[in-house]
Amino acid sequence: MSDRIQALADGALAGDRRSLARALTLVESERGVDRDAARELIARLEAASSPATRIGITGPPGAGKSTLIEQLGLRFVDGGKRVCVLAVDPTSSRTGGSILGDKTRMSELTRKAGVFIRPSPTGDGSGALSGRTRQALQVLGSGPFDYLLLETAGSGQADTEVAGLVDVLVLVLAPGGGDELQGMKRGIRELADLIVVNKADGETRQLAQSTASDYARSIPAAGRGAVVSCSALEGTGLDELARRIGELADSAPDREKAGQARERDASGAIGRLNHVALATTNVEEAAAFYRDVLGAEVSEPRPMPEHGVTTVFVRLPNSALELLEPLGEDSPVSGFLKRATAGGMHHICCEVDDILAARDRVREQGVRILGDGEPSIGAHGLPVLFLHPKDCFGVLIELEERASVGSES
Ligand code: CO
């Protein structure tokens, strides 16, 4: 396997399209054997690459992001830059990859030499970027590209996560929709390096310009944000926009050095709280409670037959709740609900840098691991282990390995 992985890593680093495509398919795969290979690949790429500058282009559906990215990409290429595009829809599950059709529109950019474009419907349904997306970024970012454009149809938590993954963040909005900016998490306004009001053309030209001035007024004076309007369709304002984004990208701090500053902790100690999982007999009703009574943002229910649960993600500003309803015959939560018939806290999940180091650490202290002790792939596409609740003061603790590219901000 190692020879095959090395050949794939070499091809990806050289920018060979077929190798890049294969490497991306590998990191997006849900098969256990592929996950091992993907981790090996990422480790080799990490060791060898000088990563591309990452430019995040985010904003609600309908803002015209794809057309804008194609136009910006063409200008970057004309300016001598090598460009790749990863288009991710974190809110769509694997089967709902609506953006796939969308991507064929970047037809002019696709034909340029040295350009690589990849749609990646790898969301886990939570609105958060999955571990696979992070690995896909790692793969593309290590190719011989100057700029990696990451397109996401962001909202809520995904936006702030994207901000932690890119060097430059551009927020694209449609004209009007003042509510949009009001309703938007305050974080994104402050995190965006540039806010672009697109569609300054035809009947919406005036509206786009007044929207841009409205936004400019509502941005805190101290913020780094700036607001511009443009028309991806007519091409107006794009040269200027490409120039400004290019400047921001070229002056962005060195991601590689920043990455070295937070090397993986091999002690196996626990890190951030990833989620708290709550078992319930009715995930729809529980979701409605968190949404309507408590006012939280919740995802659509998502059946995960391979894990024996239907999940709803409740997004919190600093973490997440996972609502779990049993699915299928031998669901891991049905036993729990027999004892706690009203539902209740099922487990907590903490992140670790190195899952095997964490396993060895707790084992040495006499803590039992559930199952055969080998990490399995959890709901987020990352390796997980569960610690025996009897050895943990009655709490079932899940350990999840932190994704390869950190989202710390
Ligand atoms: Co969990």
Side-chain angles (χ1 to χ4, degrees), residues 370-386:
L370 295 188
D372 63 2
E374 288 309 309
S376 61
I377 297 305
H380 305 117
L382 295 163
V384 301
L385 283 175
F386 285 90

Side-chain angles (χ1 to χ4, degrees), residues 57 60 62-76 85 87 99 101-109 117 149 151 172 196 198-199 201 230-236 238 241:
I57 311 270
K65 291 185 297 294
S66 295
T67 318
L68 186 65
I69 287 173
E70 166 154 54
Q71 291 304 317
L72 288 172
L74 290 168
R75 281 162 177 79
F76 292 145
V85 180
I99 57 162
D102 220 31
K103 262 356 85 180
T104 56
R105 294 210 317 257
M106 290 194 205
S107 50
E108 206 182 330
L109 186 58
I117 299 179
L149 298 171
E151 175 184 353
V172 184
V196 179
N198 191 14
K199 304 192 174 176
D201 44 51
C230 74
S231 164
L233 205 64
E234 292 181 353
T236 44
L238 290 181
L241 182 60

